Amino acid sequence: MISAWSRSDGRKGIRNVVAVAYLVECAHHVARRIVDKIDHADVHLIGFPGCYPNSYADKVMKAIATHPNVGGLVIVSLGCESFNREGLAATVAASGRPVETLVIQQNGGTASTIAAGLAAVARVQAIADAGPRIPMAPSELVIGTICGGSDGTSGITANPAVGRAFDRFVAEGATCIFEETGELVGCEAIMADRAITPELGAALMASVEKAERYYTILGFGSFAPGNAEGGLTTQEEKSMGAYSKSGSSPISGIVKPGDIPPSPGLYMLDVVPDGEPRFGFPNISDNAEIVELIACGAHINLFTTGRGSVVGSAISPVIKICANPETARRLADDMDVNAGRILEGAATIEQVGTEIYERTLAIAAGERSVSEALGHQEFILTYKSFDPVGPACLPRRQAA
């Protein structure tokens, strides 16, 4: 059983982070200095760099600030940006969490705001740390998965092993989320066959077709030069490997960034913007997609890599699962699980899947993932635009 922090909305957190959020790039330095000076494992920097308002960024920031792993928030505003700081503070306060707002233009500038920020974090952290702890069952976890730096080993070791872990978690009543429709091109028909309703199957097909259109217009796809150097030969080959992370459970619905799955099960996160391309690439980096998984409530994210990646994330622990045994040896200090043992005959997919399952539970219970221990707190939030999900996307919610 996991000892978790109780939140007023009924959700439970496996961490008790105080987030320091800048609301425009002009406030980034001040917010970063506050976090760096505190140098505490559970004080994390998050933020949005843009001056122009964006409903997606507002929704995601509110979802992150009220994530079950977050115990409180300190807002750092320049003062003239378009981000609605009052709305963000009100949302956090309504969730029962402590929140304080600093406005640099009103607070005397850089040095005085940093000093005020240090005091504000101390006050918020004291309130958050005094919050109640309650038991949490594994079935209450929300777990995301993402791949980055894929190579020819990813689809035959780490990704299917995560799929096995996902199947076990879903069978036990947990919520699992896989993502990146741009990396599912070619898999849409077999994915649709797993949908719990025909209407959801059609929506899954449409989401992948949208991604393919979007990338075609941009003249850019998710197949990177490093993928080819690592032995992948086609988009479809990469897609099949990425798809295997989802396991074999029935697919319960589609969510978009900031949507919370309404019931346990397996969900696909559609991260490709709706409408015509307006704000650039739909997946500017793996870290942006981790943020979107967290905004959907993921307590933990399972990150598979063949070529190697050293990133983690703010707010939710990232578990690094290495597909390639050579990479696992070369980057041993950055990996949690060596799935490359499958390739060398030292373990089966089922055995590594069990290891991932058990490692996830251990980290949910308080152990630090490797990226956490190394201090990784990457966070990227930029412009996008999404329409609300339609009724076909969440059939269980409609039935309720």
Side-chain angles (χ1 to χ4, degrees), residues 1 23 52 54 147 182 222 315 344 381:
M1 190 66 68
L23 302 187
Y52 188 80
N54 180 240
C147 52
S222 66
I315 309 303
E344 296 179 326
L381 178 59

Side-chain angles (χ1 to χ4, degrees), residues 17-21 30-45 73-74 76 102 113-126 129 377:
V17 169
V18 172
V20 177
V30 171
R32 181 176 295 281
R33 289 294 289 158
I34 292 168
V35 172
D36 287 347
K37 283 178 174 289
I38 291 172
D39 191 23
H40 191 289
D42 290 324
V43 177
H44 292 190
L45 178 70
L73 180 71
V74 174
V76 182
L102 305 172
T113 306
I114 291 171
L118 297 175
V121 170
R123 290 190 294 271
V124 169
Q125 193 168 31
D129 287 346
Q377 296 182 8

Side-chain angles (χ1 to χ4, degrees), residues 22-28 47-51 76-79 81-83:
Y22 62 91
L23 302 187
V24 67
E25 184 61 25
C26 305
H28 189 166
F48 175 64
C51 237
V76 182
S77 163
L78 175 63
E81 69 275 0
S82 296
F83 202 105

Side-chain angles (χ1 to χ4, degrees), residues 112-160:
S112 60
T113 306
I114 291 171
L118 297 175
V121 170
R123 290 190 294 271
V124 169
Q125 193 168 31
I127 297 170
D129 287 346
R133 302 289 293 272
I134 56 174
M136 178 180 183
S139 61
E140 296 175 275
L141 286 170
V142 181
I143 305 160
T145 188
I146 179 174
C147 52
S150 301
D151 69 6
T153 69
S154 297
I156 56 178
T157 61
N159 290 354

Side-chain angles (χ1 to χ4, degrees), residues 103-120:
V103 180
I104 296 169
Q105 291 171 346
Q106 300 173 8
N107 210 69
T110 298
S112 60
T113 306
I114 291 171
L118 297 175

